[in-house]
Amino acid sequence: MNKTFPLLCLALFLFTACGKQVPMVQKLAPLPEQATCTIAILPFLNESSYPQGGDIVGRIFLSELAASGHFKVLQEGDVQTIYKQLLIYPNRLPIRKQLKMIGGRLNADLLVSGIVQKMYQRDKGNFVDTELTFILPLYNAGTGELLWLTYHRRLGAEYQQFMHIGRIKTITALARRMSQEIITDWLNQGMLPCTE
Amino acid sequence: MTCIFLPSGGLQAQTIAFFPLLDLTVDNNGINNPISERVRQELIKSRKDLVPAADIMRFLVRNRIRSLASLNSYQISLVQKELGADQVLQGIIYQVAGGEHPILCLSLQLTQSSDSKIIWSQTVNISYADQTSLLGINDPHSLEQLYPAVFTELLAEFPEAEATASTTGRSLNVDSVYIHPKYLRPGEKLFCTIKTHKSADEEGEEPQLFIESAGKQYPLSPTEESNSFETSWTAVQEAGSYPVRLIARWPSGATQDGAIGSYSVDDKEPGVRIILLGKEIDGRVHFNNKLVIIPKLINPEPISHWEISVTDEDDEIIVLQSNVGHIPRNLTWRGQTSQGASSPPGEYFITFKVWDRAERESTALAAVQYMPEQPEIIVEIRRDEEQLLVDLDTISDTPLSFWWAKFFTEDGKLLKLAQGTELPSSVELDIDSDSRQKVECILSARDVLGNQYKKDINDLFKITEGELEEVETSIETEWVEEF
């Protein structure tokens, strides 16, 4: 999995870099039937130059996933405890065996990790430029298998409608909006919400 | 996007434990007391029943909680037990800026303390740019002026009341798991130690604990240390990776299980061979100043540690080196001992050992001939009536790469140039045997290992008369003369 993962990310980037502005989901395997309710968010990796970029995007995504009301999102503290117990560095993606263990310990259905590739907010006087690019690998918590790979890239200016109206002016707001777009897209693509 | 999970049941006022906000603009463990206090005041204004801030601080200290906004399920259950709180409110500040251009982005997350379920979550992100009006009236120019908009949006859908939730089933509070060794041979013994928090079960009812691996269950028994359990079992014979699960069985019949780790059984040695980059002569590897040793694994697998040694003909170890981790790409031996002294010429034995993670050992052994000496050429002179015969030979066992001999008259005229790749050889010089003119000879040779030899004989006739002077000979390190 470790050898193919960068290639998959590259392929996803090449196919979507100049594409439309919606999250691009590459489905590598089907989601487990009737078992996508309980989700654990793993620490996001930060490959951008924005300080705490991984932490910010990861926690906003967790917050939005919980706020969507469709899933049972597990406590971040529980994930961190298992990372410590399994001696997994938060700046590394766990290997399949470790993913399986995390899933087993948390009784989760799905695991979501993340890699923040580009993140910036620049104040240009009259307006603020923001850009965010990240990849979300989605794993089967029972087997550690990589199921979906979601790539999303957006500029704050892309939301501008008239004059400066609609333009996203903070990186947090952009991360939040993109998280909502991904969650909506996942549901449209067939991810089943909790039934209870 | 805001969600409130509303289970059926009677509504009643809930006590909320509001923890200080994590400030990611400081670092991933930062704290922001002013904004935390501001949020607290807003919650009190909204008639929320909050646990006093001093109690929260004492709770954090007492339970050694150093990271904000990331309480685990066990710590959340302690909030309920020790602070009597029904809900836990944690928050994170993502962006904050004061001054003329204020920005505040933060999120709050409300968790039910009885089952650690997130019941509400809200993120707000407001900057001066969002609040700018066409005429610039009432535009925010400080963080204080931004607060009303932030808190109105943040707390707009805060749950007014939540049903008292019942505890959903049993849960184990595992603090740490230690399985060792992680890699072992078939039939070796494994040990597992599990530590739970203060009580294995929140209600004080101790469950029976078992380890399940490779289809078998092993009961865990308490150790002398409190809240600690251990067991041991024998690894299976078949190689592979085996998951380890923890099973808890309560007297009521409730059961909980989960993966806690794994171990691997290794039944194969890594196998190793070494390649010596030297000159092969008669099936044996020779070198003169530098020997490159390349170790290769036959069955590649992660290596725990390795060792290389060089022994002489008397079986004495003259070089010993070892390291942990994977084997090096190559090693170089320059014919010196570990103390830096030069070794005498002769035969040496190189032993390379590797150990895999299950401590299986593999060894490779190779012999090498260390030949740092220069090839020596013996010169003998014979006279006949009209010729001077010069016989050249070598006593070195190492084959020559080339040799050449130049003969000059006293006035510097070249008499003869002879060259070749094999010795013995004979050179005929056409000079008058009665002449007493001096004949100078320059000899040069190099063996296949690169050892170079040069000899300058001022007067050949002195050899015949047994009056050979000390002549200059030296090991050449670079090319002396092209021919």
Side-chain angles (χ1 to χ4, degrees), chain B residues 194 209 219-231:
Chain B
I194 287 173
L209 299 175
L220 281 153
S221 38
T223 64
E224 287 176 2
E225 199 182 340
S226 61
N227 307 318
S228 179
F229 305 86
E230 65 177 9
T231 189

Side-chain angles (χ1 to χ4, degrees), chain A residues 21 26 54 57 62 77 88 113-114 116 123 126 130 144 157 160 188 192:
Chain A
Q21 295 158 342
Q26 190 173 11
V57 179
L62 186 149
I88 305 170
S113 182
V116 177
D123 197 337
N126 289 335
T130 51
Q160 190 168 327
N188 291 340
L192 295 172

Side-chain angles (χ1 to χ4, degrees), chain B residues 270-286:
Chain B
V272 69
R273 64 190 175 94
I274 48 176
I275 301 164
L276 304 178
L277 296 187
K279 185 79 184 172
E280 201 170 310
I281 302 166
D282 299 332
R284 301 173 81 181
V285 177
H286 291 62

Side-chain angles (χ1 to χ4, degrees), chain A residues 63 67 78 85 105 121 172 176, chain B residues 3 73 95 121 123 175 259:
Chain A
S63 176
D78 288 335
Q85 287 174 1
R105 288 285 298 277
Q121 175 181 323
T172 310
R176 194 179 165 208
Chain B
C3 168
S73 296
Q95 281 181 281
S121 180
T123 305
D175 181 23

Side-chain angles (χ1 to χ4, degrees), chain B residues 17-28:
Chain B
F18 172 60
F19 284 81
L21 300 174
L22 165 69
D23 191 345
L24 284 178
T25 62
V26 179
D27 61 38
N28 59 6

Side-chain angles (χ1 to χ4, degrees), chain A residues 116-182:
Chain A
V116 177
Q117 295 193 312
K118 196 170 185 184
M119 182 172 179
Y120 71 78
Q121 175 181 323
R122 291 187 196 120
D123 197 337
K124 299 209 165 174
N126 289 335
F127 53 91
V128 181
D129 266 353
T130 51
E131 184 182 341
L132 179 60
T133 308
F134 62 95
I135 294 172
L136 299 184
L138 183 77
Y139 302 99
N140 182 332
T143 62
E145 185 187 12
L146 178 62
L147 304 174
W148 288 6
L149 206 52
T150 306
Y151 173 91
H152 202 14
R153 175 179 179 267
R154 288 289 243 170
L155 306 174
E158 288 168 2
Y159 297 90
Q160 190 168 327
Q161 294 151 351
F162 172 69
M163 292 180 73
H164 282 184
I165 297 166
R167 188 186 184 104
I168 291 182
K169 300 168 188 97
T170 59
I171 195 70
T172 310
L174 185 61
R176 194 179 165 208
R177 182 72 175 266
M178 289 170 69
S179 300
Q180 290 166 358
E181 287 171 352
I182 289 173

Side-chain angles (χ1 to χ4, degrees), chain A residues 50-52 55-57 59-81 84-86 97 100-107 121 123 125 127-128 163 167-174 176 179-181 183-184 194 196, chain B residues 1-3 5 22 24-28 67-74 76 90 92 94-95 101 103 105-109 111 115-118 121-130 134 153 174-177 183 241 243 245 256-262 264:
Chain A
Y50 198 96
Q52 321 293 341
D55 273 341
I56 292 172
V57 179
R59 286 164 189 257
I60 289 173
F61 186 79
L62 186 149
S63 176
E64 290 306 313
L65 199 65
S68 75
H70 298 300
F71 304 99
K72 185 187 171 193
V73 183
L74 297 174
Q75 290 292 334
E76 191 192 336
D78 288 335
V79 176
Q80 285 183 8
T81 304
K84 281 178 202 158
Q85 287 174 1
L86 297 178
K97 200 162 76 176
K100 209 172 148 183
M101 272 186 240
I102 295 167
R105 288 285 298 277
L106 294 172
N107 276 328
Q121 175 181 323
D123 197 337
F127 53 91
V128 181
M163 292 180 73
R167 188 186 184 104
I168 291 182
K169 300 168 188 97
T170 59
I171 195 70
T172 310
L174 185 61
R176 194 179 165 208
S179 300
Q180 290 166 358
E181 287 171 352
I183 294 160
T184 308
C194 295
E196 47 181 86
Chain B
M1 248 193 209
T2 305
C3 168
F5 294 91
L22 165 69
L24 284 178
T25 62
V26 179
D27 61 38
N28 59 6
S67 302
L68 293 169
S70 56
L71 294 181
N72 61 34
S73 296
Y74 174 68
I76 290 169
Q90 302 177 86
I92 303 163
Y94 304 109
Q95 281 181 281
H101 303 299
I103 299 174
C105 304
L106 65 101
S107 71
L108 289 181
Q109 191 177 293
T111 303
D115 60 0
S116 299
K117 187 178 171 185
I118 299 171
S121 180
Q122 176 69 301
T123 305
V124 289
N125 35 266
I126 294 181
S127 77
Y128 69 97
D130 295 314
L134 204 59
E153 189 179 331
V174 177
D175 181 23
S176 63
V177 176
Y183 301 91
S241 179
R245 298 182 72 81
Q256 197 200 348
D257 75 312
I260 52 166
S262 68
S264 296

